[in-house]
Amino acid sequence: MRIVLALLLAASAAHAQYPAKPVRIVVGYAAGSSTDIVGRVMADRLAAHWKQNVYVETRAGAAGNLAADAVAKAPGDGYTLLFAQNGLAISAAALPNLPFNAERDLLPLVPVAATPHILIVAPDFPAKSAKELIARACAEPGKLAFASSGVGNSDHLCGELFNLMAGISAIHVPYKGGAPAATDVMGGRIGYYFAGMPVGLPLAKSGRARALGVTSKARFSGAPELPTIAEQGLPDYEATLWQGFFAPASLPADMATRIAADLQKVLQLPETRAKLQGASVTLWESDAASFKAFFPKEVEKWRGVVKRASLKFD
């Protein structure tokens, strides 16, 4: 009995001191990608709030699944967190043989952002709108190619959903990150790309790429002049790049509540909001309970898209 009591007291003390050592945030996307940019903003702000080192560990590849697997198998002590995006739900929907189960092995903590993708092409690309792009692709089936930051990522499925709804036959070319994908689009080597807003909007505003539209149902407040895809002939088209924090499912409930509360406090700080808005993202004003309920619904949504588009992922 005394041993059990001592262990409980030790665990309680460790919780009270959290974080007593550096916290690791694992990001499954390349440096310079939308998720990496937002994850590093959050790491900086958390470090200031906790007065403890918070560092980002990049484990790019496999549509973010290398990072998710590492966190799913990490100790549930609060010192390893995952900063993920839509790709996590897409993989859960499309890849039943992953070495982890996202719905069972990972715990949604707090959502951070839900931002539309931006459809970009090269500055001299013939199409000047999404409607013109659709017409061009339909007239030349199988000749146009579209980029993504990796198979199964959010931008990949945005493109697949667009192609499916528009009746387009296009070649998918995956890259190891958003930055190299955007580079080839700007250079005219790839037709189009549904870039993350932090990557694509600065390119469009600088003239290095041309923006044809955004993927949200309503126009993006950071670029209200850009029409939505829904306004350009696909009224039911909608997709957003959401990003949020997850922990190993073994994280005790009281620790999960505490970390989620700290994350939400940091998100409400004016300096955090300014940094994130400066990174061209839209804050997702929600709570931990809503995010936890949202995730399995998101998995089902993308499972439907994968089935309708007959997508096969390795």
Side-chain angles (χ1 to χ4, degrees):
M1 177 66 73
R2 281 181 290 182
I3 293 174
V4 172
L5 180 60
L7 290 172
L8 289 173
L9 289 173
S12 177
H15 287 187
Q17 297 169 7
Y18 179 86
K21 61 181 182 179
V23 176
R24 176 176 61 140
I25 296 175
V26 186
V27 175
Y29 302 90
S33 65
S34 303
T35 304
D36 175 73
I37 290 168
V38 177
R40 289 180 186 279
V41 169
M42 288 300 298
D44 288 344
R45 302 319 307 161
L46 283 167
H49 177 72
W50 279 333
K51 296 180 173 56
Q52 181 59 266
N53 290 329
V54 179
Y55 66 96
V56 170
E57 178 182 314
T58 301
R59 288 206 180 191
N65 291 318
L66 296 179
D69 184 45
V71 175
K73 294 172 180 174
D77 56 8
Y79 289 96
T80 301
L81 304 177
L82 174 69
F83 190 66
Q85 46 110 302
N86 302 49
L88 183 63
I90 293 165
S91 292
L95 299 170
N97 295 321
L98 286 171
F100 68 98
N101 182 307
E103 295 177 90
R104 183 191 64 214
D105 300 333
L106 291 168
L107 175 67
L109 290 175
V110 168
V112 172
T115 308
H117 286 266
I118 180 170
L119 174 56
I120 61 171
V121 296
D124 59 353
F125 191 79
K128 293 180 170 58
S129 68
K131 185 175 287 188
E132 289 183 11
L133 172 62
I134 292 170
R136 184 178 181 84
C138 288
E140 301 178 327
K143 289 189 177 181
L144 270 181
F146 72 101
S148 80
S149 61
V151 174
N153 286 347
S154 179
D155 49 11
H156 173 203
L157 268 291
C158 277
E160 295 288 1
L161 180 60
F162 176 76
N163 298 346
L164 179 69
M165 295 180 69
I168 291 173
S169 176
I171 301 166
H172 172 226
V173 181
Y175 288 79
K176 292 183 178 179
T183 297
D184 270 9
V185 170
M186 288 186 290
R189 291 177 287 277
I190 297 292
Y192 56 101
Y193 174 38
F194 284 89
M197 199 62 74
V199 172
L201 187 58
L203 298 177
K205 288 191 171 183
S206 68
R208 288 177 287 169
R210 178 191 297 148
L212 303 186
V214 297
T215 63
S216 48
K217 201 70 172 178
R219 293 197 179 197
F220 177 56
S221 60
E225 72 281 3
L226 293 178
T228 66
I229 303 300
E231 291 176 65
Q232 302 181 72
L234 300 178
D236 295 325
Y237 185 91
E238 180 181 12
T240 56
L241 171 64
W242 60 258
Q243 297 160 326
F245 281 96
F246 292 74
S250 58
L251 183 70
D254 60 333
M255 283 293 291
T257 299
R258 176 171 181 169
I259 294 170
D262 281 350
L263 289 168
Q264 288 177 314
K265 284 179 185 176
V266 166
L267 278 167
Q268 293 305 315
L269 294 174
E271 55 267 38
T272 306
R273 299 175 77 85
K275 284 273 190 182
L276 291 173
Q277 288 163 354
S280 301
V281 301
T282 301
L283 296 179
W284 185 352
E285 307 288 356
S286 187
D287 57 26
S290 297
F291 189 47
K292 189 173 181 179
F294 163 83
F295 185 66
K297 294 178 182 178
E298 182 76 346
V299 173
E300 284 305 309
K301 168 190 171 181
W302 290 115
R303 185 171 285 131
V305 172
V306 168
K307 183 178 180 180
R308 286 167 55 209
S310 301
L311 299 178
K312 302 294 182 184
F313 301 149
D314 294 330

